[in-house]
Amino acid sequence: MSKRKQAQGCQPMLRRTFLFLIGIAVTRVLAEYFSVAKNRDSFLTVINQLWHKLLAVLSDRQSHQIPESLPKNPIVRSSKSDRPLPSNPVQKPPANSPTAQPSQLQIIKGSANQTKPVQVSIQTLAGASFYLTAIDLADPEHYITIGLANNAILANNSQATGGDEPFANMVARYGAAVVANGTFFGKDEQKAVLGNMVAAGKFLKYSRWENYGTTLAIKAGNQLEMVTARTEGKPDWSQHWFSLTCGPRLVKGGKVWLSPLSEGFKDASVLGVGSRSAIGFPASRDKLFLVTFIDSLSLEAEAKVMLAIGCLEAMNLDGGDSVGLAHQGQILLPPGRNLTNVLVVYDRQYPAPTELKQSWERFQKGDRPTPDKSVFFD
């Protein structure tokens, strides 16, 4: 073999050897770098940010489109529509209220002579019948919090669980103006709830990796926030007095906004037609609208209803057999199964516990929730 051919034959071997040595060196450097927990966290944070930006671009294209797997606006009549009309009707809020920037608006609770009972009424809009609960954040006696099954201190998670409980038991224990179903939870033995959760300025559940669904929060000064983690970045739960994660999002910026797949929802029971509940707030940002549907309907139909009642932002809550509503101790819609968490609303006739009111006052003075080892998990 000529020297020229020998040289040509050695070149590929030299290249492979060089690349092999480079690979070993890079592997050692990366192993050292990722052996430090802080470096791992920083790397994952960057990856998450890039992923969120990609999803944001994709979601902008999907914002006003319904994925093909979603039914197109069906509403299925339910026998539950024969239930009696509550005695205290609610006026429909205007759909064209002027918008306000969250940073510029603070709804401070008013004086005692402004207190009124939480309003619950039955309405039909956009072809669907539902119970509408209006929570006035400016009312000094209106408070919303989260109740857990069996009076647990922490929400069910992958490491510990308080199980579930009959809805009637929870209604009786909390003695509130309104008790309604909250967020999703697993069907396994743990029955872990979805997302991070804050109530009365304390973490009930926390994971730093949480980036699923949409979060509704009440911040200092009664400022309302709704954040879809995978398209807008994670919310700062340490600034929340009340915080519940569920979804998919229904309304964003006063427009129907549906992109459940990008939020991480793939379950057919969520994407299809079924019993539903939702929560949102108007452009004035001084109220919460909790909607419990009597009819079964699609996400698109649900979103149109939330828009019709005047929501600037809205998200879906747990549905199916979990849908339940009680008003002043009377169960209007009973769930078909035990629940792990509920939304609890107090007013002047059914006053909030002293500790809940004190936690609000402490929060306004700068007290903030901090996850400890009992609620912090990965």
Side-chain angles (χ1 to χ4, degrees):
M1 182 181 296
S2 67
K3 293 182 178 180
R4 183 176 180 181
K5 290 184 177 181
Q6 287 180 344
Q8 290 177 344
C10 290
Q11 287 177 358
M13 184 178 294
L14 290 173
R15 283 197 296 269
R16 286 195 291 270
T17 302
F18 176 76
L19 292 174
F20 177 73
L21 293 174
I22 290 295
I24 291 176
V26 170
T27 300
R28 288 181 176 177
V29 170
L30 291 176
E32 283 188 29
Y33 179 81
F34 287 113
S35 66
V36 180
K38 183 178 180 179
N39 292 340
R40 292 196 301 269
D41 290 348
S42 299
F43 176 76
L44 290 173
T45 298
V46 171
I47 293 298
N48 276 332
Q49 289 174 346
L50 293 175
W51 178 244
H52 289 156
K53 289 180 180 179
L54 175 60
L55 286 174
V57 172
L58 295 175
S59 294
D60 284 342
R61 297 177 180 178
Q62 298 176 353
S63 294
H64 306 294
Q65 301 176 1
I66 311 301
E68 292 182 0
S69 58
L70 292 182
K72 293 292 183 181
N73 205 30
I75 297 174
V76 180
R77 295 302 171 195
S78 168
S79 59
K80 295 177 181 178
S81 59
D82 295 332
R83 295 183 181 275
L85 175 70
S87 58
N88 45 348
V90 177
Q91 297 297 321
K92 177 184 172 184
N96 58 349
S97 301
T99 58
Q101 296 298 324
S103 60
Q104 298 174 345
L105 182 63
Q106 290 192 349
I107 305 300
I108 306 300
K109 289 185 179 293
S111 61
N113 58 9
Q114 295 176 307
T115 62
K116 296 180 180 179
V118 168
Q119 300 293 297
V120 177
S121 68
I122 191 169
Q123 297 194 14
T124 299
L125 284 174
S129 298
F130 55 91
Y131 286 95
L132 173 63
T133 301
I135 306 163
D136 185 357
L137 297 180
D139 191 306
E141 296 298 329
H142 286 201
Y143 291 89
I144 183 170
T145 188
I146 298 170
L148 300 178
N150 302 306
N151 213 24
I153 299 175
L154 301 177
N156 297 346
N157 57 66
S158 60
Q159 297 179 0
T161 179
D164 55 18
E165 186 179 12
F167 184 64
N169 292 5
M170 302 174 85
V171 171
R173 181 172 66 251
Y174 290 111
V178 172
V179 179
N181 60 282
T183 190
F184 297 110
F185 57 93
K187 298 179 181 179
D188 57 2
E189 291 185 1
Q190 290 297 108
K191 294 181 172 60
V193 301
L194 168 69
N196 291 338
M197 189 177 284
V198 179
K202 295 181 180 179
F203 275 103
L204 302 183
K205 180 188 172 188
Y206 178 75
S207 172
R208 57 183 168 177
W209 308 122
E210 181 61 50
N211 70 336
Y212 190 72
T214 295
T215 299
L216 168 71
I218 299 178
K219 303 168 70 175
N222 261 332
Q223 292 186 65
L224 292 170
E225 175 179 82
M226 188 168 287
V227 179
T228 301
R230 294 189 179 185
T231 60
E232 299 174 295
K234 297 179 185 179
D236 185 357
W237 288 281
S238 67
Q239 299 301 312
H240 297 170
W241 181 76
F242 167 91
S243 185
L244 184 75
T245 297
C246 203
R249 195 168 189 156
L250 303 170
V251 178
K252 181 178 180 181
K255 297 180 181 179
V256 170
W257 193 95
L258 287 170
S259 186
L261 299 180
S262 71
E263 291 189 53
F265 292 98
K266 299 178 182 178
D267 193 326
S269 63
V270 176
L271 301 179
V273 175
S275 299
R276 297 192 183 278
S277 59
I279 195 167
F281 55 85
S284 58
R285 297 177 182 265
D286 58 351
K287 297 179 181 66
L288 282 173
F289 295 140
L290 173 63
V291 177
T292 309
F293 289 91
I294 298 171
D295 302 314
S296 294
L297 67 173
S298 67
L299 285 173
E300 182 182 10
E302 183 184 27
K304 289 181 178 179
V305 170
M306 298 306 286
L307 189 64
I309 66 174
C311 284
L312 176 73
E313 309 287 345
M315 72 177 188
N316 179 62
L317 294 173
D318 196 3
D321 287 338
S322 293
V323 174
L325 178 68
H327 179 225
Q328 296 182 347
Q330 177 188 0
I331 297 179
L332 304 178
L333 291 175
R337 60 177 173 181
N338 292 351
L339 301 183
T340 65
N341 68 100
V342 290
L343 293 175
V344 181
V345 183
Y346 296 98
D347 63 11
R348 70 175 184 182
Q349 294 181 347
Y350 294 79
T354 300
E355 173 55 30
L356 183 62
K357 295 182 178 181
Q358 290 176 345
S359 73
W360 172 256
E361 293 172 359
R362 290 194 300 268
F363 188 82
Q364 302 312 305
K365 295 177 181 178
D367 192 22
R368 294 292 181 268
T370 302
D372 56 34
K373 292 182 179 180
S374 64
V375 296
F376 191 102
F377 72 97
D378 291 326

